[in-house]
Amino acid sequence: MKNIKIPILCGLICLASITLAQQNYVELKPEDTKEDIIRKAAHVRPTKRQLKWQELEVTGFIHYGINTFTGKEWGDGKEDPKLFNPKKQDAEQWVKIAKKAGIKLLILTAKHHDGFCLWPTATTEHSIKNSPYLNGQGDVMKELSDACRKHGVKFGVYLSPWDQHEAVYGTEAYNDFFVKQLTELLTQYGQVDEVWFDGANGEGPNGKKQEYDFERYYKTIRAIQPEAVIAVMGPDVRWVGTETGYGRDTEWSVVPTAALRQDAVAGESQQDMTIKPKGDMRNSDLGSRSQIEKAEALVWYPAETDVSIRPGWFFHENQNDQVKSPEKLLDIYFNSVGKNGVLLLNIPPTKDGLIHEKDEQALIGWKNLRDQIFANNLLKTTSAKLINQHKEIITKKEKTGQYWTTKGVDTATFVFDIGKEQEFNLLDISEFIKYGQRVEKFELEVLQNNAWTKVASGTTIGSRRILQFNTIKGKHIRLKILESRLNPMIQNIGLYHYIQ
Ligand code: FUL
């Protein structure tokens, strides 16, 4: 009977995948059953640019500008450009340190809320061209983008929509002004891989109100730099919701959104999507069954977890003793990258224009810890045995073309014999997210006195799930995928011992 059932089930699944759109957005219909909704959710996938971004895992922010020199976190737009005067600025130093720390992309605050521009823009006089730095010939965008290119680090740009200096702010002309600034940044400095739009807008009751034409901004980016993801006031990348560096235990990349307008640019695979998903993206639960069952549509909208290495986003001398330690950064890594997110870690240059040695030490210490921990996967030398399942290889040509999956069932059990009794306290699992996010519940067990004992459990996995638990000794280990929205596709399983 079994042999007959499996092909039938498989047939149904294959048919389902043909009729379901394999893209990063799907609409739900009133007649969809709960099962239909779950199946649709399991088929929502990242766009190519979202997937490339997710694979970066660790990215960096460079908060630098007039605030570096005034000691403020938010300027007011009235600062004199002459204040910007670093004496030893060296963007290559920033990039080299970031690269050593395993940071794969750096985002520069080309303009923060005070409106001061770090590049010699034609749109305003409130820029570096009126600063003493290099007699007005300086261009931090150029310095940093050149250094990134030279060292193989990707480059991104932060352009604050809120601008407290610009006189036309609050009128339609500001949208033209903003698009001109964006166009300069996207055309003059080579490839840009991320554009970061801040949601912060502190206009007071007497302040001007600006209607941002975000769709126009998105279309400008798509036209000039189609590879760039647009975060966090954007369609590709979602703000995780805090600035602590800690993501959610249950973190779905597939979340509810409003159905697209009829005239919206939908694109075959949403590569051209220029609509920011709608909804409150700050709840503790965004994408579990109870949430998606009441949705109009579902979209792949992954989390970016931003945090600064110091209390402030900009450099302040009096925070030199509050640089996060390597151990704290490691905990942040486990709770951001290890919770299906991309970490965006801010490292602000000093008034001299250099990364401070304390920050450098912390970054290198953090990288050393990661290298030590992840050097020895206890499961690597052993072969996984899947009970009632099999390992499928898609194509050897693909970089990530290997995963374990099941047929006809949405659960899986992996059993490992690691040769001898060994200590471990860290589990690291990845789903093959190119085909979506599916796992809803998993458990790790170890065989002790002939009985399987639970040592760790979790809900979502996604791009990566790292779980820390009390050190335990064992030889026989079992990972159970207990609930999944469709056959689970597991790309990687690692078991490590972190000696503190
Ligand atoms: C916030 C801003 O107001 C902060 O200054 C900083 O740029 C942070 C990354 O985003 O919204």
Side-chain angles (χ1 to χ4, degrees):
M1 279 302 281
K2 249 187 181 167
N3 289 344
I4 300 166
K5 258 185 194 163
I6 289 169
I8 293 171
L9 267 175
C10 176
L12 285 176
I13 288 165
C14 298
L15 193 68
S17 21
I18 291 162
T19 53
L20 281 172
Q22 310 264 321
Q23 55 184 30
N24 89 330
Y25 167 86
V26 67
E27 271 171 32
L28 304 183
K29 301 203 172 79
E31 64 271 23
D32 280 343
T33 62
K34 286 184 178 179
E35 289 70 34
D36 293 336
I37 293 171
I38 292 305
R39 205 156 33 88
K40 281 187 173 182
H43 282 83
V44 176
R45 297 174 174 192
T47 58
K48 277 194 197 119
R49 65 167 85 81
Q50 285 175 320
L51 188 61
K52 262 170 67 184
W53 168 84
Q54 190 88 48
E55 285 168 359
L56 299 176
E57 294 195 341
V58 181
T59 60
F61 237 156
I62 300 283
H63 273 71
Y64 189 49
I66 214 82
N67 294 337
T68 312
F69 297 86
T70 59
K72 291 186 184 165
E73 275 295 304
W74 279 11
D76 59 11
K78 298 191 178 82
E79 295 83 4
D80 188 339
K82 292 196 173 53
L83 291 170
F84 185 87
N85 193 15
K87 295 287 163 35
K88 299 179 188 160
Q89 186 178 296
D90 180 4
E92 205 170 340
Q93 186 243 15
W94 315 346
V95 175
K96 282 183 181 163
I97 293 170
K99 193 174 175 178
K100 271 199 226 153
I103 291 173
K104 301 281 168 41
L105 174 149
L106 281 175
I107 301 174
L108 175 69
T109 53
K111 178 184 84 170
H112 204 250
H113 311 324
D114 50 69
F116 179 75
C117 298
L118 286 178
W119 80 105
T121 173
T123 59
T124 174
E125 289 304 305
H126 200 51
S127 89
I128 197 167
K129 70 185 175 199
N130 290 314
S131 299
Y133 175 62
L134 299 184
N135 294 320
Q137 301 301 305
D139 183 345
V140 188
M141 273 292 291
K142 178 158 170 44
E143 273 187 46
L144 185 57
S145 58
D146 283 352
C148 280
R149 207 169 304 117
K150 181 169 167 192
H151 293 281
V153 171
K154 289 177 184 287
F155 178 63
V157 59
Y158 168 114
L159 185 67
S160 170
W162 182 29
D163 185 326
Q164 297 176 87
H165 178 83
E166 180 46 42
V168 300
Y169 187 86
T171 70
E172 184 48 34
Y174 180 75
N175 285 320
D176 299 335
F177 171 88
F178 193 83
V179 167
K180 271 189 203 142
Q181 293 201 324
L182 199 52
T183 306
E184 287 181 356
L185 295 172
L186 300 179
T187 54
Q188 296 174 10
Y189 302 97
Q191 174 137 351
V192 172
D193 290 289
E194 181 160 351
V195 179
W196 217 90
F197 290 144
D198 204 320
N201 190 328
E203 296 148 315
N206 311 322
K208 306 170 207 166
K209 185 94 196 114
Q210 177 67 44
E211 293 293 328
Y212 301 115
D213 193 349
F214 274 113
E215 262 189 75
R216 191 173 155 205
Y217 309 164
Y218 304 155
K219 283 178 182 158
T220 304
I221 300 165
R222 293 288 195 248
I224 307 174
Q225 295 277 356
E227 302 283 304
V229 288
I230 312 173
V232 291
M233 290 297 290
D236 304 313
V237 169
R238 158 171 63 88
W239 182 45
V240 78
T242 72
E243 291 177 344
T244 60
Y246 288 73
R248 294 175 182 77
D249 286 341
T250 299
E251 186 62 85
W252 285 102
S253 293
V254 178
V255 296
T257 184
L260 284 178
R261 297 187 324 254
Q262 291 296 310
D263 63 336
V265 184
E268 203 186 329
S269 61
Q270 296 300 305
Q271 284 288 323
D272 305 320
M273 177 131 142
T274 53
I275 304 280
K276 181 181 181 297
K278 290 193 181 63
D280 185 354
M281 302 285 174
R282 287 199 256 172
N283 288 338
S284 56
D285 177 6
L286 295 182
S288 63
R289 290 187 184 223
S290 61
Q291 300 301 311
I292 62 173
E293 276 165 7
K294 49 188 189 205
E296 268 181 41
L298 302 172
V299 67
W300 188 274
Y301 199 33
E304 182 181 71
T305 312
D306 62 337
V307 64
S308 183
I309 195 165
R310 290 163 169 259
W313 289 100
F314 287 88
F315 179 85
H316 308 290
E317 196 72 41
N318 62 5
Q319 295 182 347
N320 286 348
D321 290 332
Q322 294 173 71
V323 176
K324 292 184 174 62
S325 67
E327 291 74 20
K328 176 69 182 170
L329 292 174
L330 183 69
D331 200 45
I332 286 176
Y333 178 84
F334 290 161
N335 284 282
S336 53
V337 176
K339 282 189 178 166
N340 190 28
V342 168
L343 173 60
L344 175 56
L345 178 66
N346 180 57
I347 41 171
T350 63
K351 280 185 188 181
D352 276 343
L354 295 168
I355 301 295
H356 194 276
E357 58 182 28
K358 293 225 171 158
D359 304 48
E360 178 178 4
Q361 282 161 11
L363 288 166
I364 304 307
W366 173 48
K367 179 64 163 58
N368 288 342
L369 283 176
R370 278 145 56 207
D371 286 350
Q372 278 163 26
I373 295 168
F374 295 109
N376 186 22
N377 181 359
L378 299 178
L379 304 181
K380 213 173 180 179
T381 49
T382 58
S383 55
K385 196 174 126 218
L386 273 91
I387 297 177
N388 298 334
Q389 329 292 354
H390 69 278
K391 186 177 176 179
E392 251 186 22
I393 295 168
I394 328 165
T395 143
K396 286 189 180 126
K397 265 180 270 155
E398 277 189 278
K399 191 175 146 229
T400 51
Q402 221 179 358
Y403 58 86
W404 290 275
T405 192
T406 59
K407 271 198 175 142
V409 283
D410 297 340
T411 55
T413 305
F414 299 83
V415 182
F416 301 94
D417 177 349
I418 60 172
K420 58 175 194 241
E421 290 268 320
Q422 295 191 70
E423 290 190 323
F424 51 88
N425 52 17
L426 207 73
L427 174 68
D428 182 7
I429 331 172
S430 298
E431 278 184 80
F432 189 74
I433 58 157
K434 185 176 178 183
Y435 287 174
Q437 187 183 352
R438 302 175 174 191
V439 176
E440 295 178 306
K441 193 175 176 190
F442 65 91
E443 253 174 42
L444 182 75
E445 293 175 332
V446 62
L447 193 65
Q448 286 181 323
N449 306 322
N450 288 325
W452 287 105
T453 315
K454 184 160 95 176
V455 288
S457 62
T459 51
T460 46
I461 297 176
S463 62
R464 215 162 150 196
R465 186 65 200 266
I466 302 174
L467 275 183
Q468 252 188 301
F469 44 88
N470 291 335
T471 304
I472 193 153
K473 221 173 181 180
K475 178 173 178 299
H476 296 279
I477 289 114
R478 192 156 88 167
L479 175 70
K480 296 200 293 190
I481 307 296
L482 297 168
E483 285 170 28
S484 182
R485 291 179 175 179
L486 206 60
N487 57 311
M489 292 183 150
I490 304 299
Q491 188 178 0
N492 182 55
I493 310 171
L495 197 64
Y496 302 93
H497 188 202
Y498 169 31
I499 307 163
Q500 302 193 40

